[in-house]
Amino acid sequence: MDHLEQTCASLRAQIAATETDLAKLKRELQEAEAAASAAKAPNGINGEPKKENRKRTWPLLAEEYRRYGRQMIVPQLGLQGQLRLRSSKVLIVGAGGLGCPSALYLAGAGVGTLGMVDGDTVESSNLHRQVLHRTRNVGKFKVDSAIEYLQELNPHTSYVPHRSHLSPQEAPEIFKDYDLILDCTDNPATRYLISDTAVALGKPLVSASALRTEGQLMVLNNPPRPAGDKTGGPCYRCVFPKPPPANSVTSCADGGILGPVVGTMGVLQALEAIKVITSPTSGLNDGPGDPPALHIFSAYSSPPFRTIRLRTRRPTCAACSASPSVTLDTIKSGSIDYIFFCGAANPEALLSPNERISPLEYRRRHPAMPSKILAPETGSRHTLIDVRDKAQFDICNLENSINIPISTILGSSAARATKGVNGDSEDNLPAWVPAEIASPESRDPIYVVCRLGNDSQVAVKKLKELGLDRDGERYVGDIQGGLHAWRGQVDPEFPEY
């Protein structure tokens, strides 16, 4: 099966490469035919060409005038701007929610060469926001799926697929052939790698991000002056010298995303890229560029946009200062561990093995599922707490589980449950604690579940801080792997989202 999948992937790659070559040949043929037509001007008397019939050679093909006419009549672009677009080479890193709309509008605008870097394949969960991919392309490399669509949109552009995840060793070799870079990725480690490489090679960078209903946009290293030149634009390290804590980074898979939000940010990236390419006073044309700024979009705010002015290059920046520690050599050598710099790639295990239980073991202990039942082996009742937010809980949940979002749990104080002088429970527990588990007489086990088994560990620690484990007399633990593992081990029909 693996051999057949590799064969299919290889054939898809060959087809995409052939289609790119074909588009290039068609364009060359059009140019050759136009030149031949101009050379065949009809002759007048004595073999002298008729001046009134002599054809003029225009810088664009007739079809390109028709295709791009509506944008060329915009004063800020004009014919010269269109010619700059036609000669430009743009690299998009990431063919997902940001990369798809960016590529769509850059190809439509007539960028000469468009490269795309992505090692992922299309999944059905991508389709609500990654607008270049189609249902029939599920399982196909994202770059091949995207280029298939873009070639139908505009055959005049040359498309270059890079079917791999960006690595420090490969990034400089890929970047060197392009004029402008678009960061359309979704993790801090890759963002720092892209920015460092762009600075080292003197490439302007358009960076964006999106999560839930909000997005951010910056144009960095614009203009792309050498390291130490104070007139150059700031880089990603200038804005964020230190990465965010690893446990504070939320992906779209965990936090969710609205398609139009990430689409808005991708379209704005394309717009900024066009401005950098076509403006005679910025970016590729060695001008001063626009003042650096961070643009923030919030779909449910009014107004939805606000802008924060950014400072120029930091004198102590590790990448673009006069004495950089991040150079092309350090990037190529792999001496910079971007994963380590940004924190652990995987969530830390907060609980010991005896504080965790597999979905299969939970099912064996409590086969009837309701949260208040008599367990056949232990003779005890139990409580199951789901710590996902309400929106996720409403999508699907285990029968009779109690929804207490992790944000509610973490927002409370850590007061412990104690007994008063009459043996009654002191009223010092947070209001979200259910009465049945707050009772000092209760020793029923408490299980916590979340989507992937990460937040549930944090919740268990919090419950124990509150003293709900009765100093070890009551079992408080989580279901390891969360609902994702539940689907794989217990109920294959449980919804996956």
Side-chain angles (χ1 to χ4, degrees):
M1 179 63 72
D2 290 341
H3 175 70
L4 290 175
E5 290 179 351
Q6 291 177 357
T7 301
C8 291
S10 176
L11 291 172
R12 292 191 192 103
Q14 292 179 45
I15 291 172
T18 303
E19 288 174 342
T20 300
D21 292 341
L22 179 60
K24 183 177 180 182
L25 289 172
K26 286 182 177 179
R27 178 171 177 171
E28 291 176 353
L29 175 60
Q30 286 181 316
E31 293 174 346
E33 288 175 342
S37 297
K40 293 180 179 178
N43 292 335
I45 301 173
N46 299 324
E48 293 291 330
K50 289 184 178 179
K51 292 184 180 181
E52 63 273 20
N53 292 331
R54 187 179 299 166
K55 292 190 177 181
R56 179 179 176 184
T57 302
W58 300 100
L60 296 175
L61 301 176
E63 201 278 330
E64 289 179 299
Y65 280 100
R66 290 190 294 269
R67 179 181 287 265
Y68 307 126
R70 297 297 186 274
Q71 69 185 33
M72 282 195 293
I73 61 177
V74 175
Q76 290 86 343
L77 192 78
L79 175 61
Q80 292 305 313
Q82 191 63 51
L83 292 174
R84 291 191 185 104
L85 283 171
R86 190 189 193 193
S87 62
S88 67
K89 297 180 179 181
V90 179
L91 179 68
I92 296 176
V93 184
L98 292 168
C100 283
S102 295
L104 186 68
Y105 278 96
L106 287 175
V111 164
T113 300
L114 193 61
M116 301 192 76
V117 181
D118 202 311
D120 288 338
T121 57
V122 179
E123 299 177 1
S124 58
S125 61
N126 304 146
L127 300 178
H128 84 103
R129 66 193 184 281
Q130 299 180 15
V131 293
L132 291 182
H133 309 311
R134 288 163 286 184
T135 302
R136 72 184 188 193
N137 284 345
V138 169
K140 195 172 186 178
F141 274 112
K142 284 187 177 180
V143 291
D144 293 336
S145 172
I147 289 174
E148 177 184 304
Y149 187 107
L150 295 172
Q151 284 173 331
E152 295 181 7
L153 172 68
N154 191 353
H156 296 287
T157 296
S158 296
Y159 304 99
V160 183
H162 301 276
R163 303 175 188 87
S164 63
H165 296 292
L166 194 68
S167 69
Q169 292 74 24
E170 295 177 347
E173 186 64 24
I174 295 174
F175 282 27
K176 69 180 179 61
D177 295 326
Y178 295 92
D179 305 313
L180 174 66
I181 313 299
L182 270 65
D183 179 356
C184 299
T185 61
D186 61 359
N187 69 86
T190 307
R191 291 188 183 282
Y192 281 101
L193 169 59
I194 292 171
S195 177
D196 290 348
T197 309
V199 170
L201 293 174
K203 313 288 184 182
L205 171 64
V206 183
S207 177
S209 63
L211 182 67
R212 298 190 178 100
T213 63
E214 299 181 343
Q216 296 182 354
L217 173 73
M218 296 179 290
V219 180
L220 302 170
N221 198 39
N222 180 48
R225 301 281 193 260
D229 189 333
K230 296 180 181 179
T231 64
C235 70
Y236 196 79
R237 286 182 185 268
C238 292
V239 183
F240 303 109
K242 295 182 179 179
N247 58 8
S248 70
V249 177
T250 303
S251 68
C252 290
D254 293 330
I257 182 70
L258 285 183
V261 171
V262 71
T264 296
M265 304 316 298
V267 170
L268 288 175
Q269 277 187 283
L271 176 59
E272 292 298 329
I274 291 172
K275 288 167 60 179
V276 171
I277 294 169
T278 61
S279 174
T281 60
S282 69
L284 305 185
N285 303 297
D286 203 34
D290 293 332
L294 171 64
H295 305 287
I296 300 174
F297 172 73
S298 182
Y300 286 85
S301 296
S302 182
F305 288 97
R306 60 192 179 98
T307 297
I308 300 174
R309 290 288 297 273
L310 297 177
R311 295 180 179 178
T312 55
R313 288 182 169 180
R314 293 176 65 249
T316 59
C317 179
C320 64
S321 66
S323 301
S325 58
V326 178
T327 65
L328 199 58
D329 290 337
T330 61
I331 296 171
K332 287 181 177 180
S333 66
S335 61
I336 303 174
D337 189 334
Y338 287 93
I339 299 297
F340 178 79
F341 174 69
C342 293
N346 297 316
E348 181 182 357
L350 301 178
L351 304 180
S352 62
N354 61 359
E355 294 176 295
R356 313 199 75 184
I357 185 173
S358 71
L360 280 175
E361 178 61 20
Y362 172 84
R363 183 72 167 199
R364 187 186 67 79
R365 293 184 187 181
H366 308 289
M369 284 301 297
S371 61
K372 289 295 175 184
I373 63 172
L374 194 64
E377 294 184 9
T378 64
S380 65
R381 300 158 72 90
H382 77 284
T383 299
L384 177 61
I385 299 175
D386 188 324
V387 296
R388 295 173 298 158
D389 61 42
K390 185 178 184 301
Q392 295 190 53
F393 183 81
D394 289 344
I395 293 173
C396 56
N397 56 76
L398 298 180
E399 186 178 2
N400 290 332
S401 57
I402 301 172
N403 182 217
I404 307 176
I406 186 67
S407 58
T408 300
I409 294 175
L410 295 180
S412 63
S413 63
R416 292 177 61 86
T418 59
K419 289 185 178 181
V421 293
N422 298 322
D424 297 329
S425 175
E426 294 284 355
D427 187 20
N428 60 353
L429 287 174
W432 56 262
V433 177
E436 59 266 29
I437 68 172
S439 171
E441 289 77 24
S442 175
R443 297 295 184 273
D444 299 341
I446 302 172
Y447 302 96
V448 183
V449 68
C450 65
R451 187 182 181 192
L452 298 173
N454 300 323
D455 286 344
S456 58
Q457 297 185 69
V458 177
V460 167
K461 298 284 284 186
K462 186 70 173 180
L463 292 174
K464 290 191 171 185
E465 287 177 9
L466 293 172
L468 294 174
D469 63 336
R470 310 299 180 210
D471 294 322
E473 296 180 14
R474 166 196 266 173
Y475 179 83
V476 180
D478 85 319
I479 296 180
Q480 191 167 7
L483 295 173
H484 179 75
W486 180 272
R487 183 179 187 275
Q489 298 180 24
V490 178
D491 183 6
E493 296 183 0
F494 194 82
E496 181 180 20
Y497 63 94

